[in-house]
Amino acid sequence: MTQAAAVTSCPSSDLDPFSDEFLADPFPSLTEVRALGPVVFLERYGVFMVANHVEVQAVLRDHHRFSSAAGTGLANVVNEPSWRKPSILLEVDPPVHTRNRAVVARAMSPKLLKTLQETFDERAGQLADALVALGSFDAVTDLAEIFPTRVFPDAFGLRDEGREHLLAYGALVFNGTGPPNERFQRSFEHADEVIGWITAQCRRDALRPDGLGALIYLGVDAGEVTEEEAALLVRPFLSAGIDTTVNALALGVLAFIRFLDQWALLRRDRGLAKNAFEEIVRRESPVIGFFRTTNQEVSVAGVIIPADTKVLVSFAGANRVPARWEHPDEFDITRRVVGHAGFGVGIHNCVGQVIARMEGESILAALADRIGSWELAGEPVARLNNTLRGLETLPVRVTPA
């Protein structure tokens, strides 16, 4: 079936999912898209979109027909030049993906994760103490950015010098999954310096031998991957391993300020910290969505999508479907959150999600121990990115516990 014929079989929309208006608050537009139908054609970019829970889960779990090998962004990296080498975790399919994922999974052993959790808990307590002593601070720059860009890189084995490039690289990567708009061009202004630093940090000799990054290189010693492939396996941790956590923590603080009853609930029961972070990721969707590419003609909810066609898979849309989540716009840290798409679904789910969850649980529990209540000390400002939801600034005042 041609694309023109396919378009006539499903509703169309002039929605621009990369506009400032959408990125600042995508949820009203996603509600409208879901009301149009399970599959919608986005006229502006010539792609299809799924934003319902059922279809999002189905597409993400079907890597045989919805491939990642053409890139997880708008551009087809098979046919179009890319500013970076494709990820050999997120942008390849089995059997290559299976081999590479196994190398990474083995590096994140239960013993290592236990040690990391202890480190995260200790460092979270230290940061929370310092923030409470301040009384007023910016929950983005003083909290959400500080914890993941200090604690995780330490555990990963990064050297201290140049870490300011981590957030710039993440902005570049996630803006790069959209069109080459002004937002992407701005993030690309210092790309040579940023990419050069990131590339250098991915080499074995740049990583401390006691960190997680060095463990990935054991796959080279075992003959499973090459030295170049190991560097590409390290690289995703320096973007996806940080940015999702930064944005989730900032948006999570804002959610707790707006739903103070939930903060009181967490303070009464620190055991809810883990589920609270999951609810933040579900409700806020720090990653709005990624693309897949059909490698054959496929039918989704009765709509025939041609082969070699991009499909925008909306994590944010799936995470607030009323049929799946009761009162989905509400923030409820006791909610049964299993099944959200915040970290992706299927074999290409977020490689750093285990560590993100550990960080989130640690810092929320530490803050709940020390902060009695929060309030805004100024208006929050959104940080717009072609793929991510986050905040640029979030001034807050806290009352000590």
Side-chain angles (χ1 to χ4, degrees):
M1 175 181 284
T2 65
Q3 186 179 83
V7 171
T8 64
S9 69
C10 76
S12 296
S13 171
D14 63 357
L15 171 70
D16 183 356
F18 304 107
S19 67
D20 288 0
E21 181 183 13
F22 178 86
L23 295 172
D25 183 8
F27 300 106
S29 295
L30 291 171
T31 298
E32 294 175 4
V33 168
R34 290 196 302 265
L36 290 174
V39 182
V40 174
F41 183 73
L42 300 185
E43 300 165 356
R44 189 180 300 263
Y45 298 103
V47 302
F48 292 82
M49 181 180 189
V50 292
N52 274 296
H53 188 269
V54 171
E55 285 73 33
V56 165
Q57 292 275 333
V59 170
L60 293 177
R61 293 183 185 280
D62 188 355
H63 63 271
H64 297 290
R65 299 189 303 163
F66 297 92
S67 172
S68 294
T72 56
L74 177 63
N76 188 320
V77 299
V78 174
N79 305 325
E80 304 174 39
S82 175
W83 60 272
R84 66 181 178 92
K85 291 183 178 179
S87 167
I88 62 171
L89 274 178
L90 298 179
E91 296 173 314
V92 295
D93 293 322
V96 176
H97 174 272
T98 306
R99 178 200 66 181
N100 295 341
R101 190 78 183 223
V103 172
V104 172
R106 189 166 57 250
M108 293 194 291
S109 66
K111 180 180 179 181
L112 171 71
L113 294 179
K114 182 176 184 296
T115 301
L116 289 183
Q117 186 70 72
E118 293 169 353
T119 301
F120 291 167
D121 289 347
E122 179 182 359
R123 298 286 293 277
Q126 294 168 356
L127 177 58
D129 284 335
L131 293 175
V132 170
L134 288 175
S136 298
F137 54 90
D138 192 310
V140 177
T141 56
D142 298 327
L143 168 58
E145 290 181 355
I146 292 296
F147 195 65
T149 59
R150 286 184 183 174
V151 179
F152 174 68
D154 285 349
F156 197 76
L158 284 190
R159 311 293 180 180
D160 291 337
E161 185 179 357
R163 288 189 186 181
E164 67 274 7
H165 293 310
L166 288 169
L167 292 175
Y169 180 66
L172 180 58
V173 168
F174 289 106
N175 274 322
T177 61
N181 54 15
E182 182 182 355
R183 191 173 297 108
F184 173 71
Q185 298 302 328
R186 285 198 305 269
S187 65
F188 208 80
E189 288 175 356
H190 304 287
D192 289 345
E193 180 183 1
V194 171
I195 294 171
W197 183 84
I198 289 289
T199 302
Q201 305 320 301
C202 292
R203 296 198 306 262
R204 186 194 289 226
D205 59 7
L207 296 165
R208 291 200 327 268
D210 60 340
L212 170 59
L215 295 177
I216 293 175
Y217 273 91
L218 295 180
V220 177
D221 301 335
E224 297 168 318
V225 292
T226 66
E227 197 86 10
E228 181 181 9
E229 288 171 333
L232 290 175
L233 292 177
V234 166
R235 191 182 67 180
F237 286 93
L238 306 187
S239 54
I242 292 174
D243 288 80
T244 303
T245 314
V246 168
N247 292 322
L249 290 177
L251 293 166
V253 169
L254 183 57
F256 274 119
I257 291 173
R258 289 173 171 167
F259 294 84
L260 287 174
D261 62 314
Q262 297 301 298
W263 185 250
L265 188 57
L266 178 60
R267 293 205 63 244
R268 289 196 297 271
D269 183 0
R270 308 297 190 278
L272 288 171
K274 182 176 182 178
N275 200 68
F277 188 71
E278 293 291 334
E279 171 68 348
I280 291 167
V281 174
R282 178 206 67 85
R283 182 179 186 268
E284 303 300 340
S285 295
V287 178
I288 300 172
F290 279 134
F291 285 85
R292 294 292 187 265
T293 307
T294 56
N295 54 20
Q296 57 184 281
E297 184 176 281
V298 299
S299 175
V300 179
V303 175
I304 305 298
I305 303 177
D308 199 31
T309 299
K310 284 284 181 174
V311 179
L312 176 54
V313 187
S314 177
F315 302 174
N319 284 343
R320 292 209 190 182
V321 173
R324 177 62 177 80
W325 315 99
E326 186 175 2
H327 306 301
D329 295 333
E330 293 184 5
F331 183 50
D332 178 3
I333 66 172
T334 66
R335 185 193 303 273
R336 188 172 184 272
V337 201
V338 175
H340 73 76
F343 289 112
V345 176
I347 65 170
H348 292 99
N349 59 26
C350 176
V351 66
Q353 64 181 288
V354 173
I355 293 173
R357 286 178 163 118
M358 290 165 56
E359 290 180 304
E361 181 179 2
S362 291
I363 194 65
L364 289 179
L367 293 169
D369 277 337
R370 294 160 174 83
I371 294 177
S373 64
W374 305 75
E375 64 177 349
L376 290 177
E379 284 302 308
V381 176
R383 174 180 290 168
L384 304 186
N385 180 283
N386 283 334
T387 303
L388 301 176
R389 290 192 69 237
L391 295 173
E392 191 70 42
T393 182
L394 178 60
V396 300
R397 280 188 296 270
V398 298
T399 301

